[in-house]
Amino acid sequence: MSPPGRGYFSQELFVKVPYRALALGLLAAMLSATLLGRARAGSDHFFPGVSDPVVREECGSCHLAYPPSMLPARSWQRMMAGLKNHFGDDASLDAATAERVRRYLAANAADAGGRRYGDKLTRGLPAASTPLRISELPRWIREHRKVPAWEWTHKEVRTKANCTACHADAERGYFDD
Amino acid sequence: MNRHHGITLAALSLILPTAATAGALDGILARYAAEAQRSATAFSGFSAERGRALYTTRFGSGKPATPACTSCHGPDPRRSGQTPAGKPIDPVAVAASPTRYTDIAKVEKWFKRNCSEVLGRECTAVEKGDWLSYMVKQ
């Protein structure tokens, strides 16, 4: 036994549902999602943050846990070999933790797993150069050339290591602003 | 009966984390006390007052940028501090950060680093216990 008025309902549905509008809407949504995803992933200024909780803790207590894709693997190797004097501080770790951090940073470096994000930032860096500071990369210097000296010494900034002072969304990997 | 159980459990879930935290901190203090007793000097318990002095004294024997604990942690232990690179630091007072002192390895890691930066040497067990005793009372 079919429910009363079934024919009426199905006819109503068939007639009233704006399939064409829905299809167009869906297409538009898919297109913008694709574009947005591409913009995010391919943006010159998106560098995914550290996903490993141990690395986040050890590299993100004193300063922003800098995205590993901002330096080549050789820089991270050099960094991890000199934690005893880490920009003037003793940041040494036990051997197991240090090894975990070293592996993560090297695997996601600008010339390894993080290439699609960090390739442009490390462009122009001589192969023989192994910088420890992201702010020494030729591309970084060019991108920040318009920042006046007083802004760097402002009490809310104080150091070039303080990305979040100007890049509000740096913790999430966005450096567009 | 069920309702009663529910209330008991809810009450326990509120109390237990605090109890566990306090337990961990007591354990850390007991460890520093045992270490202090093993050292040659006579040890007659920790002092929150000495801890306060340790927290606020400008030593100048470590790194020039960080003469005191307060250089980064700020004058009020119940409020957030800031690292030289601009990262916020959770308050050091137990009342403001109840879960701060639960992992002895973490506590030791930061005493080691920060004492070396502020005092230019490692802290003694008495100093660590005094410092924590002060933070408990804040």
Side-chain angles (χ1 to χ4, degrees), chain B residues 18-132:
Chain B
T18 322
T21 303
L25 180 50
D26 286 347
I28 292 171
L29 278 167
R31 189 183 136 147
Y32 288 142
E35 208 179 305
Q37 268 153 7
R38 278 198 304 274
S39 71
T41 52
F43 172 68
S44 55
F46 296 125
S47 148
E49 188 46 39
R50 284 199 309 258
R52 192 193 62 77
L54 180 64
Y55 184 69
T56 53
T57 300
R58 291 175 70 86
F59 290 94
S61 46
K63 288 176 66 184
T66 53
C69 303
T70 53
S71 305
C72 295
H73 294 292
D76 183 353
R78 283 160 298 188
R79 302 188 62 171
S80 293
Q82 200 183 38
T83 71
K87 190 111 182 170
I89 311 173
D90 287 341
V92 279
V94 174
S97 306
T99 56
R100 194 176 237 290
Y101 310 103
T102 45
D103 177 359
I104 179 70
K106 198 172 167 178
V107 170
E108 277 287 279
K109 179 175 104 174
W110 288 106
F111 268 135
K112 183 168 184 280
R113 285 184 182 178
N114 296 346
C115 289
S116 126
E117 286 187 16
V118 172
L119 295 115
R121 59 166 173 83
E122 288 199 22
C123 284
T124 64
V126 179
E127 284 169 329
K128 293 174 192 173
D130 287 347
W131 201 89
L132 286 173

Side-chain angles (χ1 to χ4, degrees), chain A residues 57-58 60-63 88-93 158-159 162 171, chain B residues 63 82-89 106 109-110 112-113 116-117:
Chain A
E57 163 85 15
E58 299 302 342
S61 296
C62 303
H63 52 67
D89 286 343
D90 183 355
S92 41
L93 299 167
R158 290 188 289 186
T159 160
N162 189 1
E171 288 279 0
Chain B
K63 288 176 66 184
Q82 200 183 38
T83 71
K87 190 111 182 170
I89 311 173
K106 198 172 167 178
K109 179 175 104 174
W110 288 106
K112 183 168 184 280
R113 285 184 182 178
S116 126
E117 286 187 16

